[in-house]
Amino acid sequence: MEVTIPSTSDPSDLDLIRRWRDGDGRAATQLVERHAPAVARFVAAQGERDEVDEVVQDTFVRAFAAIDSFRGDSSFRTWLFTIAKRLVLDRRRAERRSRVVGTVEEGDAVAQFNALDAMVADEALQRVRKAVESLSPKQREVFTLRVEQGLSYKEIAELIGSTEGATRVHYYNAMHAVKEFLDD
Amino acid sequence: MTDCTNIDIRDVLPEFLHGTLEYSASERVRTHLESCPACTAEVQLLQRVRALVVTPRIDVTRVVAAIPSYRRKRSVFSAAMRPMSLAAAALVCAVGLSTVAVTHYHHTAQAPAAAATTAAPSTGIAIVGVSELSDDHLEQLIGQMDQLEAAPPVDPEPALPPDVDSGV
């Protein structure tokens, strides 16, 4: 199985942040290139369907504007996800104020999977998609963050406001549920 | 198929898939997968879940162009530490709001006992309360302050009215 191992010569996120503060504009480009795809996937998974690129852009703008408040306790990517999640929730609240929207936050994550119907032709993939859809909202959130984004239990716990232990339990329960669904 | 009982390996399968494990840990997982059908099936399942994800295209150039320039935040502390003229300090002392003064003294017979120690150097700086200074030293301090440039006035000096007799 092919494994991509990050090059040891790649500067760390903290190095790039320091360089950007010192006036190196290319450092910002490197940070965006490194994290924008993951932030985009995260935003899409949160149910933001129409303006993913706008939310991603807003996320980076806010992150860089508040860069001095990034203490490095969590990873830079997790910090970006926290900002993105808040932005998505703010947009959803604003939408609810302007018109009636029947779905809740977790429901939009399911809708995002439904949007993939046209693209997922393989039957096996369809079954996996349905298995993930059948998970509880919390299990689905933890499972997708772990599998699709590769976040650690600690990072996921920080993001969703839970504990590492509870996050781990959600993940294994989700894995068990998906396997049972596929075995049926 | 029953799950593998090796939780240490199962716990890092997502990291293995993302290629974020250190080389030695990655090799350990790879070796385990060669003899564990349950973990191999789990990795294949994780790969299928990842395949469901469509990454929306993001215009990196547009995002970077929107990022504001870095502005170092000024701390309240640094703002408060703007140099103050000694005349302003003297004003504070004069109204009795401060009880601390810095005095520059010379080693003389008139040196106040309260402000000097036997081991003090011939010239030095000591921090003493204003009330502890002798009359002579207070006079010396006030004399030094008189020689200092006065602080600029807060308000600009009023413009002089034109000379009505100049005929201009």
Short mmCIF file of all heavy atoms in Angstrom, two decimals, chain A residues 37-88:
data_model
loop_
_atom_site.label_atom_id
_atom_site.label_comp_id
_atom_site.label_asym_id
_atom_site.label_seq_id
_atom_site.Cartn_x
_atom_site.Cartn_y
_atom_site.Cartn_z
N PRO A 37 -7.49 22.59 1.24
CA PRO A 37 -8.31 21.43 0.86
C PRO A 37 -9.01 20.79 2.06
O PRO A 37 -10.19 20.45 1.98
CB PRO A 37 -7.28 20.48 0.23
CG PRO A 37 -6.18 21.36 -0.26
CD PRO A 37 -6.10 22.46 0.75
N ALA A 38 -8.28 20.65 3.16
CA ALA A 38 -8.87 20.02 4.35
C ALA A 38 -9.98 20.90 4.92
O ALA A 38 -11.04 20.41 5.33
CB ALA A 38 -7.81 19.77 5.41
N VAL A 39 -9.75 22.21 4.94
CA VAL A 39 -10.78 23.12 5.45
C VAL A 39 -12.02 23.06 4.54
O VAL A 39 -13.15 23.05 5.02
CB VAL A 39 -10.24 24.58 5.54
CG1 VAL A 39 -11.34 25.55 5.93
CG2 VAL A 39 -9.10 24.66 6.54
N ALA A 40 -11.78 22.96 3.23
CA ALA A 40 -12.90 22.88 2.28
C ALA A 40 -13.71 21.60 2.51
O ALA A 40 -14.95 21.63 2.53
CB ALA A 40 -12.38 22.91 0.85
N ARG A 41 -13.02 20.48 2.71
CA ARG A 41 -13.72 19.23 2.99
C ARG A 41 -14.50 19.33 4.29
O ARG A 41 -15.63 18.88 4.40
CB ARG A 41 -12.73 18.06 3.07
CG ARG A 41 -12.18 17.60 1.73
CD ARG A 41 -11.46 16.27 1.88
NE ARG A 41 -10.29 16.35 2.75
CZ ARG A 41 -9.07 16.64 2.34
NH1 ARG A 41 -8.84 16.91 1.07
NH2 ARG A 41 -8.06 16.68 3.19
N PHE A 42 -13.88 19.94 5.28
CA PHE A 42 -14.54 20.10 6.59
C PHE A 42 -15.79 20.96 6.46
O PHE A 42 -16.85 20.64 7.00
CB PHE A 42 -13.55 20.72 7.59
CG PHE A 42 -14.14 20.98 8.94
CD1 PHE A 42 -14.33 19.96 9.85
CD2 PHE A 42 -14.54 22.27 9.30
CE1 PHE A 42 -14.89 20.21 11.11
CE2 PHE A 42 -15.10 22.51 10.55
CZ PHE A 42 -15.28 21.49 11.45
N VAL A 43 -15.67 22.08 5.74
CA VAL A 43 -16.81 22.99 5.58
C VAL A 43 -17.95 22.27 4.83
O VAL A 43 -19.11 22.38 5.21
CB VAL A 43 -16.36 24.27 4.83
CG1 VAL A 43 -17.56 25.10 4.38
CG2 VAL A 43 -15.44 25.10 5.72
N ALA A 44 -17.58 21.52 3.79
CA ALA A 44 -18.60 20.78 3.03
C ALA A 44 -19.27 19.73 3.93
O ALA A 44 -20.48 19.55 3.89
CB ALA A 44 -17.96 20.11 1.82
N ALA A 45 -18.48 19.09 4.78
CA ALA A 45 -19.04 18.07 5.67
C ALA A 45 -19.94 18.68 6.74
O ALA A 45 -20.81 17.99 7.28
CB ALA A 45 -17.91 17.29 6.33
N GLN A 46 -19.75 19.98 7.04
CA GLN A 46 -20.60 20.65 8.01
C GLN A 46 -21.94 21.03 7.39
O GLN A 46 -22.81 21.59 8.05
CB GLN A 46 -19.91 21.93 8.53
CG GLN A 46 -18.66 21.68 9.35
CD GLN A 46 -18.96 20.99 10.67
OE1 GLN A 46 -19.74 21.47 11.47
NE2 GLN A 46 -18.34 19.84 10.89
N GLY A 47 -22.10 20.77 6.08
CA GLY A 47 -23.37 21.04 5.45
C GLY A 47 -23.41 22.30 4.62
O GLY A 47 -24.45 22.65 4.05
N GLU A 48 -22.31 23.00 4.52
CA GLU A 48 -22.25 24.20 3.69
C GLU A 48 -22.12 23.75 2.24
O GLU A 48 -21.10 23.20 1.85
CB GLU A 48 -21.06 25.07 4.10
CG GLU A 48 -20.97 26.39 3.37
CD GLU A 48 -22.16 27.31 3.62
OE1 GLU A 48 -22.59 27.46 4.77
OE2 GLU A 48 -22.68 27.88 2.63
N ARG A 49 -23.19 23.97 1.47
CA ARG A 49 -23.18 23.39 0.12
C ARG A 49 -22.83 24.41 -0.95
O ARG A 49 -22.13 24.10 -1.90
CB ARG A 49 -24.57 22.82 -0.20
CG ARG A 49 -24.85 21.50 0.49
CD ARG A 49 -26.32 21.23 0.58
NE ARG A 49 -26.95 22.06 1.60
CZ ARG A 49 -28.23 22.02 1.92
NH1 ARG A 49 -29.04 21.19 1.28
NH2 ARG A 49 -28.75 22.78 2.85
N ASP A 50 -23.36 25.63 -0.76
CA ASP A 50 -23.30 26.57 -1.86
C ASP A 50 -22.04 27.42 -1.92
O ASP A 50 -21.57 27.74 -3.00
CB ASP A 50 -24.53 27.51 -1.79
CG ASP A 50 -25.82 26.71 -1.87
OD1 ASP A 50 -25.83 25.71 -2.62
OD2 ASP A 50 -26.79 27.07 -1.19
N GLU A 51 -21.53 27.82 -0.78
CA GLU A 51 -20.44 28.81 -0.80
C GLU A 51 -19.25 28.33 0.02
O GLU A 51 -18.74 29.03 0.88
CB GLU A 51 -20.97 30.14 -0.27
CG GLU A 51 -21.94 30.77 -1.25
CD GLU A 51 -22.69 31.96 -0.66
OE1 GLU A 51 -22.82 32.05 0.56
OE2 GLU A 51 -23.14 32.80 -1.44
N VAL A 52 -18.81 27.14 -0.31
CA VAL A 52 -17.68 26.57 0.42
C VAL A 52 -16.45 27.46 0.27
O VAL A 52 -15.75 27.74 1.25
CB VAL A 52 -17.36 25.15 -0.10
CG1 VAL A 52 -16.09 24.62 0.53
CG2 VAL A 52 -18.51 24.20 0.17
N ASP A 53 -16.20 27.93 -0.97
CA ASP A 53 -14.98 28.73 -1.19
C ASP A 53 -15.03 30.03 -0.40
O ASP A 53 -14.00 30.49 0.12
CB ASP A 53 -14.77 29.00 -2.68
CG ASP A 53 -15.96 29.63 -3.35
OD1 ASP A 53 -17.05 29.66 -2.73
OD2 ASP A 53 -15.84 30.09 -4.50
N GLU A 54 -16.23 30.60 -0.26
CA GLU A 54 -16.33 31.86 0.50
C GLU A 54 -16.05 31.62 1.98
O GLU A 54 -15.34 32.40 2.63
CB GLU A 54 -17.74 32.43 0.33
CG GLU A 54 -17.82 33.89 0.72
CD GLU A 54 -19.19 34.49 0.40
OE1 GLU A 54 -19.58 34.43 -0.78
OE2 GLU A 54 -19.83 34.99 1.34
N VAL A 55 -16.58 30.53 2.50
CA VAL A 55 -16.35 30.21 3.92
C VAL A 55 -14.87 29.90 4.15
O VAL A 55 -14.29 30.30 5.16
CB VAL A 55 -17.23 29.03 4.38
CG1 VAL A 55 -16.92 28.65 5.83
CG2 VAL A 55 -18.70 29.37 4.24
N VAL A 56 -14.28 29.19 3.23
CA VAL A 56 -12.85 28.86 3.36
C VAL A 56 -12.03 30.15 3.36
O VAL A 56 -11.13 30.34 4.19
CB VAL A 56 -12.39 27.93 2.22
CG1 VAL A 56 -10.88 27.78 2.22
CG2 VAL A 56 -13.05 26.57 2.35
N GLN A 57 -12.36 31.05 2.45
CA GLN A 57 -11.63 32.32 2.38
C GLN A 57 -11.81 33.10 3.69
O GLN A 57 -10.83 33.59 4.26
CB GLN A 57 -12.14 33.16 1.21
CG GLN A 57 -11.38 34.48 1.07
CD GLN A 57 -11.79 35.25 -0.16
OE1 GLN A 57 -11.69 34.75 -1.28
NE2 GLN A 57 -12.27 36.47 0.02
N ASP A 58 -13.05 33.18 4.17
CA ASP A 58 -13.32 33.89 5.43
C ASP A 58 -12.55 33.27 6.59
O ASP A 58 -12.06 33.97 7.47
CB ASP A 58 -14.82 33.83 5.77
CG ASP A 58 -15.61 34.87 5.01
OD1 ASP A 58 -14.98 35.74 4.40
OD2 ASP A 58 -16.86 34.81 5.03
N THR A 59 -12.45 31.94 6.55
CA THR A 59 -11.73 31.24 7.63
C THR A 59 -10.28 31.70 7.68
O THR A 59 -9.75 32.03 8.74
CB THR A 59 -11.80 29.72 7.40
OG1 THR A 59 -13.16 29.31 7.41
CG2 THR A 59 -11.03 28.97 8.48
N PHE A 60 -9.63 31.71 6.52
CA PHE A 60 -8.23 32.10 6.49
C PHE A 60 -8.04 33.57 6.81
O PHE A 60 -7.09 33.96 7.51
CB PHE A 60 -7.59 31.75 5.14
CG PHE A 60 -7.22 30.31 5.02
CD1 PHE A 60 -8.03 29.42 4.34
CD2 PHE A 60 -6.06 29.83 5.61
CE1 PHE A 60 -7.71 28.08 4.25
CE2 PHE A 60 -5.72 28.49 5.52
CZ PHE A 60 -6.55 27.62 4.84
N VAL A 61 -8.94 34.41 6.33
CA VAL A 61 -8.84 35.85 6.62
C VAL A 61 -8.91 36.08 8.12
O VAL A 61 -8.10 36.80 8.71
CB VAL A 61 -9.95 36.63 5.87
CG1 VAL A 61 -10.06 38.04 6.42
CG2 VAL A 61 -9.66 36.66 4.38
N ARG A 62 -9.88 35.43 8.76
CA ARG A 62 -10.03 35.60 10.21
C ARG A 62 -8.84 35.00 10.97
O ARG A 62 -8.39 35.55 11.96
CB ARG A 62 -11.31 34.94 10.69
CG ARG A 62 -12.52 35.69 10.21
CD ARG A 62 -13.74 35.35 10.96
NE ARG A 62 -14.88 36.00 10.33
CZ ARG A 62 -15.96 36.33 10.98
NH1 ARG A 62 -16.07 36.07 12.27
NH2 ARG A 62 -16.95 36.91 10.36
N ALA A 63 -8.39 33.86 10.48
CA ALA A 63 -7.27 33.20 11.16
C ALA A 63 -6.03 34.10 11.14
O ALA A 63 -5.38 34.32 12.17
CB ALA A 63 -6.98 31.86 10.51
N PHE A 64 -5.71 34.63 9.97
CA PHE A 64 -4.51 35.45 9.87
C PHE A 64 -4.68 36.78 10.60
O PHE A 64 -3.71 37.32 11.13
CB PHE A 64 -4.14 35.68 8.41
CG PHE A 64 -3.38 34.53 7.80
CD1 PHE A 64 -4.03 33.49 7.18
CD2 PHE A 64 -1.99 34.49 7.87
CE1 PHE A 64 -3.34 32.42 6.65
CE2 PHE A 64 -1.28 33.43 7.33
CZ PHE A 64 -1.96 32.39 6.71
N ALA A 65 -5.90 37.30 10.63
CA ALA A 65 -6.14 38.56 11.35
C ALA A 65 -5.95 38.36 12.86
O ALA A 65 -5.58 39.29 13.57
CB ALA A 65 -7.54 39.08 11.06
N ALA A 66 -6.22 37.15 13.32
CA ALA A 66 -6.12 36.86 14.77
C ALA A 66 -4.95 35.94 15.07
O ALA A 66 -4.97 35.21 16.06
CB ALA A 66 -7.42 36.23 15.25
N ILE A 67 -3.93 35.96 14.22
CA ILE A 67 -2.85 34.97 14.33
C ILE A 67 -2.14 35.03 15.68
O ILE A 67 -1.62 34.02 16.16
CB ILE A 67 -1.83 35.13 13.17
CG1 ILE A 67 -1.07 33.81 12.96
CG2 ILE A 67 -0.85 36.26 13.44
CD1 ILE A 67 -1.88 32.75 12.29
N ASP A 68 -2.11 36.21 16.30
CA ASP A 68 -1.42 36.33 17.59
C ASP A 68 -2.14 35.56 18.68
O ASP A 68 -1.56 35.28 19.74
CB ASP A 68 -1.28 37.80 17.99
CG ASP A 68 -0.22 38.51 17.16
OD1 ASP A 68 0.64 37.82 16.60
OD2 ASP A 68 -0.27 39.75 17.07
N SER A 69 -3.42 35.23 18.46
CA SER A 69 -4.14 34.47 19.48
C SER A 69 -3.97 32.97 19.31
O SER A 69 -4.44 32.19 20.13
CB SER A 69 -5.62 34.83 19.47
OG SER A 69 -6.20 34.45 18.24
N PHE A 70 -3.27 32.54 18.26
CA PHE A 70 -2.99 31.11 18.08
C PHE A 70 -1.80 30.76 18.95
O PHE A 70 -0.67 31.19 18.70
CB PHE A 70 -2.70 30.77 16.62
CG PHE A 70 -2.28 29.34 16.41
CD1 PHE A 70 -3.15 28.31 16.70
CD2 PHE A 70 -1.02 29.03 15.93
CE1 PHE A 70 -2.78 26.98 16.53
CE2 PHE A 70 -0.63 27.72 15.75
CZ PHE A 70 -1.51 26.70 16.05
N ARG A 71 -2.08 29.98 20.00
CA ARG A 71 -1.00 29.72 20.97
C ARG A 71 -0.26 28.43 20.67
O ARG A 71 0.73 28.13 21.30
CB ARG A 71 -1.59 29.67 22.39
CG ARG A 71 -2.10 31.01 22.88
CD ARG A 71 -2.63 30.88 24.30
NE ARG A 71 -3.79 29.98 24.36
CZ ARG A 71 -5.03 30.37 24.16
NH1 ARG A 71 -5.30 31.63 23.88
NH2 ARG A 71 -6.03 29.52 24.22
N GLY A 72 -0.76 27.63 19.72
CA GLY A 72 -0.08 26.39 19.42
C GLY A 72 -0.47 25.24 20.34
O GLY A 72 0.16 24.19 20.30
N ASP A 73 -1.51 25.45 21.18
CA ASP A 73 -1.95 24.35 22.05
C ASP A 73 -2.54 23.22 21.20
O ASP A 73 -2.34 22.04 21.48
CB ASP A 73 -3.03 24.85 23.05
CG ASP A 73 -2.48 25.94 23.95
OD1 ASP A 73 -1.25 25.96 24.15
OD2 ASP A 73 -3.28 26.76 24.44
N SER A 74 -3.30 23.59 20.17
CA SER A 74 -3.81 22.60 19.23
C SER A 74 -3.05 22.78 17.92
O SER A 74 -2.26 23.71 17.79
CB SER A 74 -5.31 22.82 19.00
OG SER A 74 -5.53 24.08 18.41
N SER A 75 -3.31 21.89 16.97
CA SER A 75 -2.65 22.08 15.68
C SER A 75 -3.28 23.26 14.97
O SER A 75 -4.43 23.65 15.26
CB SER A 75 -2.79 20.81 14.83
OG SER A 75 -4.12 20.69 14.38
N PHE A 76 -2.54 23.83 14.02
CA PHE A 76 -3.05 24.96 13.25
C PHE A 76 -4.31 24.55 12.49
O PHE A 76 -5.27 25.32 12.40
CB PHE A 76 -1.96 25.45 12.29
CG PHE A 76 -2.32 26.70 11.54
CD1 PHE A 76 -2.60 27.88 12.20
CD2 PHE A 76 -2.39 26.70 10.15
CE1 PHE A 76 -2.93 29.05 11.50
CE2 PHE A 76 -2.72 27.85 9.44
CZ PHE A 76 -2.99 29.03 10.12
N ARG A 77 -4.31 23.31 11.98
CA ARG A 77 -5.47 22.86 11.21
C ARG A 77 -6.71 22.77 12.11
O ARG A 77 -7.79 23.17 11.71
CB ARG A 77 -5.18 21.50 10.57
CG ARG A 77 -6.33 21.02 9.68
CD ARG A 77 -5.93 19.82 8.86
NE ARG A 77 -4.99 20.19 7.82
CZ ARG A 77 -4.58 19.35 6.87
NH1 ARG A 77 -5.03 18.12 6.85
NH2 ARG A 77 -3.71 19.75 5.96
N THR A 78 -6.53 22.25 13.30
CA THR A 78 -7.68 22.16 14.22
C THR A 78 -8.20 23.57 14.53
O THR A 78 -9.40 23.79 14.62
CB THR A 78 -7.27 21.47 15.53
OG1 THR A 78 -6.69 20.21 15.21
CG2 THR A 78 -8.47 21.24 16.44
N TRP A 79 -7.29 24.50 14.70
CA TRP A 79 -7.68 25.88 14.99
C TRP A 79 -8.49 26.44 13.81
O TRP A 79 -9.52 27.10 14.00
CB TRP A 79 -6.42 26.72 15.22
CG TRP A 79 -6.65 28.09 15.78
CD1 TRP A 79 -7.26 28.42 16.95
CD2 TRP A 79 -6.25 29.32 15.17
NE1 TRP A 79 -7.26 29.79 17.11
CE2 TRP A 79 -6.65 30.36 16.05
CE3 TRP A 79 -5.58 29.66 13.99
CZ2 TRP A 79 -6.40 31.71 15.76
CZ3 TRP A 79 -5.35 31.00 13.73
CH2 TRP A 79 -5.76 32.01 14.60
N LEU A 80 -8.03 26.15 12.57
CA LEU A 80 -8.77 26.58 11.39
C LEU A 80 -10.16 25.96 11.38
O LEU A 80 -11.15 26.63 11.05
CB LEU A 80 -8.02 26.19 10.12
CG LEU A 80 -6.73 26.97 9.81
CD1 LEU A 80 -6.00 26.32 8.63
CD2 LEU A 80 -7.03 28.43 9.50
N PHE A 81 -10.24 24.68 11.71
CA PHE A 81 -11.55 24.00 11.72
C PHE A 81 -12.48 24.67 12.73
O PHE A 81 -13.68 24.79 12.48
CB PHE A 81 -11.38 22.52 12.08
CG PHE A 81 -10.85 21.66 10.98
CD1 PHE A 81 -10.62 20.30 11.20
CD2 PHE A 81 -10.56 22.18 9.73
CE1 PHE A 81 -10.12 19.50 10.17
CE2 PHE A 81 -10.07 21.38 8.71
CZ PHE A 81 -9.84 20.03 8.93
N THR A 82 -11.95 25.06 13.87
CA THR A 82 -12.77 25.72 14.90
C THR A 82 -13.35 27.02 14.36
O THR A 82 -14.53 27.31 14.54
CB THR A 82 -11.93 26.02 16.16
OG1 THR A 82 -11.25 24.84 16.56
CG2 THR A 82 -12.80 26.51 17.29
N ILE A 83 -12.51 27.78 13.67
CA ILE A 83 -12.97 29.05 13.09
C ILE A 83 -14.02 28.76 12.02
O ILE A 83 -15.07 29.41 11.96
CB ILE A 83 -11.79 29.83 12.47
CG1 ILE A 83 -10.80 30.24 13.56
CG2 ILE A 83 -12.28 31.06 11.71
CD1 ILE A 83 -9.49 30.81 13.03
N ALA A 84 -13.75 27.77 11.17
CA ALA A 84 -14.67 27.43 10.08
C ALA A 84 -16.03 26.98 10.63
O ALA A 84 -17.08 27.37 10.12
CB ALA A 84 -14.06 26.34 9.20
N LYS A 85 -15.99 26.18 11.67
CA LYS A 85 -17.24 25.67 12.26
C LYS A 85 -18.09 26.83 12.77
O LYS A 85 -19.31 26.87 12.56
CB LYS A 85 -16.91 24.71 13.40
CG LYS A 85 -18.14 24.01 13.96
CD LYS A 85 -17.75 22.85 14.87
CE LYS A 85 -19.01 22.10 15.27
NZ LYS A 85 -18.74 20.90 16.04
N ARG A 86 -17.41 27.79 13.43
CA ARG A 86 -18.14 28.95 13.96
C ARG A 86 -18.75 29.75 12.81
O ARG A 86 -19.87 30.25 12.90
CB ARG A 86 -17.17 29.82 14.76
CG ARG A 86 -17.77 30.37 16.02
CD ARG A 86 -16.76 31.08 16.87
NE ARG A 86 -15.80 30.20 17.48
CZ ARG A 86 -14.50 30.48 17.64
NH1 ARG A 86 -14.01 31.62 17.23
NH2 ARG A 86 -13.70 29.62 18.21
N LEU A 87 -18.00 29.89 11.73
CA LEU A 87 -18.49 30.65 10.58
C LEU A 87 -19.71 29.97 9.97
O LEU A 87 -20.69 30.64 9.61
CB LEU A 87 -17.39 30.78 9.52
CG LEU A 87 -16.33 31.84 9.79
CD1 LEU A 87 -15.18 31.71 8.80
CD2 LEU A 87 -16.92 33.24 9.70
N VAL A 88 -19.65 28.65 9.84
CA VAL A 88 -20.78 27.92 9.26
C VAL A 88 -22.01 28.08 10.16
O VAL A 88 -23.12 28.32 9.66
CB VAL A 88 -20.44 26.43 9.07
CG1 VAL A 88 -21.67 25.63 8.69
CG2 VAL A 88 -19.37 26.27 8.00
#
